[in-house]
Amino acid sequence: DQLIMETAEVLKITFRQADIIGLLGGDEFVVVMVDESGKESVNSVKERLASAIVKRNEQPDRQYVLSLSFGIVRYDNNNPCTMEQLLSKADSMMYKAKKEPGVK
């Protein structure tokens, strides 16, 4: 339960209320960014999330390491698609990232 609460806290500080975060199972999350301005890149958000996880794990007296796998996509008003398509794309991105060395 504590691990789930910590994960939720890290995700909450990383993403905005408008973004949609879903737990697929275990440590697997997908995020649909709903950023109408398009100012923030998916890569910058990935870096911010990775940094938040590192900071959390650097806290003293940790009993475990927080680690999660994630796929992040942006909803594009100019190229609309269904939520199912977005989640499928985020899921694919997550599995692609899992295959990269040193990336979750």
Side-chain angles (χ1 to χ4, degrees), residues 75-88:
Y75 178 78
D76 181 359
N77 283 334
N78 297 322
N79 190 13
C81 59
T82 66
M83 182 59 72
E84 184 176 321
Q85 291 168 319
L86 287 167
L87 292 176
S88 177

Side-chain angles (χ1 to χ4, degrees), residues 42-84:
V42 170
N43 284 336
S44 68
V45 172
K46 284 181 185 179
E47 290 172 10
R48 191 168 67 233
L49 177 56
S51 176
I53 292 169
V54 167
K55 285 179 185 176
R56 177 60 59 136
N57 286 328
E58 289 175 343
Q59 291 179 344
D61 301 324
R62 299 283 304 165
Q63 295 181 0
Y64 48 83
V65 174
L66 179 64
S67 173
L68 54 107
S69 301
F70 54 88
I72 302 172
V73 295
R74 176 193 309 281
Y75 178 78
D76 181 359
N77 283 334
N78 297 322
N79 190 13
C81 59
T82 66
M83 182 59 72
E84 184 176 321

Side-chain angles (χ1 to χ4, degrees), residues 8-21:
E9 186 177 322
V10 167
L11 293 170
K12 185 176 179 180
I13 63 171
T14 302
F15 297 97
R16 299 166 310 124
Q17 275 189 315
D19 297 330
I20 301 165
I21 302 169

